[in-house]
Amino acid sequence: MPDSIRDSAAPVNSVLEMQGGEAVARMIRAFNGGPMFGMGGFQLLPFYEAARHFGMPHHLINDERSGVFVADAYAKVSGRVGLADATLGPGATNLVTGLAEALNAGTPMVCVVGDTHRDHAWKNMTQECRQVDLLRPVCKELIRVEAIHRIPEMMRRAFAVATTGRPGPVVVDLPEDLMHATHAFPAEEFEVDPANEAAPALRCRPDGAAVARAADLLAKAARPIILAGGGVHISGAADALTAFARAIDIPVAHTLTGKGAIPCVDPLSAGLFGRYDRIANRLIEEADVILVVGCKLGEIATKRYTVPAPGKTIIHLDIVAEEFGRTTRADVLLWGDAKLGIEDLHAALGARAAEMKARHAGYAAQVSARMAEWREGVAERLHSTERPINVARLLTAINTVLPEDGILVADGGFAAHWGGLLFDTKRAGRGFVPDRGFASIGYGLPGAMGAALAAPGRPVVAMTGDSGFCMVLGDLETAKRLDLDITIVVVNNAASGYVKALQHLVYGAGNYHASDLKEMDFAAIAQAFGCTGIRVEDPEAVEGALRQAIATKGPVVLDVIVTRDPAKMLPGVDNRAAVIRKGDRIA
């Protein structure tokens, strides 16, 4: 590595000669970058050497997709920019699924990707492909660097784009020759705006006249309700939303990613709405004014675009104007930051808030009464003693054991749906981390790693299926190497559970194909990795095993043997079944 690597601050107007890879590392360090995950190659060697010299927290991952998932969960929990890297070709293409998750979920992220030497491009270079074309649709912006002196400029832009508006992943594509070449950079090129270290870096308020109209609608409503999405957490608006809801006694329902917008244990929490719900869909049906906050109103949240029903008065607050009217017409559009928008609505209500609270007292009391009635109705499942273990019993144990500051990471598919329906956050904020931007399975283990790195000291439990866990099993080695205190709950049903459950719903009992797995002893597999493994088959042992796992240092795999009955694999009947199945014929 050239002698140009220096740790001390350079004097103003000085010049630093360095390789392009070092310039990339200096820019990430200037933004106080957190842990970075990747698998290097020749193209990235100068960057890796600079990261080593500077003592930057960079860790080898066993699969680049897992690296992006780690970065995604880290960013979701911390609000800071997630960081990942990959070499050209298969390294770059392995990023696609994780980038799609980050793009759809609004996760601030910067990924550094090596590319071919420009003098040799399209001459059958090893691992070469049109990676820029492949990655561009799954990131907020793709920046291809074509001149070494522009590396600092482009890295500044990458962090700015990643953290402003609706945050998202930015890919910086760097040719091999630029990473290895040297250039004399003016020292001031490495100065950055610290606002771009985390999202949201910029906030904007909704139009004042629109806020006034929305406040008037809410003030006159007899049965208003708030529908909160993941944008509440991106904005850091959970505390503001909770205070607003309590000030006027308005119930709050949430999407899978919006869980924690108000504490689930709050009397005003109506729980999950959409495809799976407790009491929320009925409240939405009865509501006269609906305030949607940071929510895209996608398929699951709207129960295939049937909730809310047509004709409802809707106020929609969102940072992305393109989301307005995409699935549901709104009467008042509030284009701006969720936190500032809620604060403005609260202020616009003024003295009317106290009158509203008094008027809504009876309505608000119905929420907790209905929730208690719902819990009583499903108590048999929540406290089931059946073997294999009912997943509802597992979630009951997680609710009991995980403390107020605990984090539950939920893998895609049924793990997220069970967790979204039954897991109860005990305080406002992001205590539930599902990968619902793209809903890929395989997120549980790397997601737990990212959450643990973002919130050291907070208990982290991940819930994943056996199929999803098998996808990323190699990175149990990474978790062990980093000695992370995480608990991975493998919901072991010896099946691709969501697929098998849907086959049961659509085609009837016994009509299953390519959805069964060979049952594995994941506790024994964990032990082979040098981790703690605990196998649980008795429902009465689940709570104790969870307590043991959370108290144990290092990664723990809790292998929980759950129901094999496809009729019991989902928390409710999937509403898509009625659309797909027509009588006994395949539609």
Side-chain angles (χ1 to χ4, degrees), residues 469 473 476-477 488 490 492 519-537 555-561:
F469 188 54
L473 187 57
L476 192 57
E477 180 275 332
I488 309 300
V490 180
N492 189 338
E519 182 168 326
M520 293 286 136
D521 186 339
F522 291 105
I525 291 172
Q527 291 164 7
F529 274 84
C531 302
T532 301
I534 305 171
R535 189 171 173 91
V536 185
E537 301 182 51
V556 179
V557 173
L558 206 63
D559 187 13
V560 183
I561 310 306

Side-chain angles (χ1 to χ4, degrees), residues 356-378:
M356 292 171 67
K357 184 176 179 68
R359 178 159 46 87
H360 292 159
Y363 170 51
Q366 292 179 26
V367 178
S368 55
R370 290 186 188 184
M371 191 66 79
E373 181 182 358
W374 176 84
R375 289 186 187 280
E376 183 178 348
V378 298

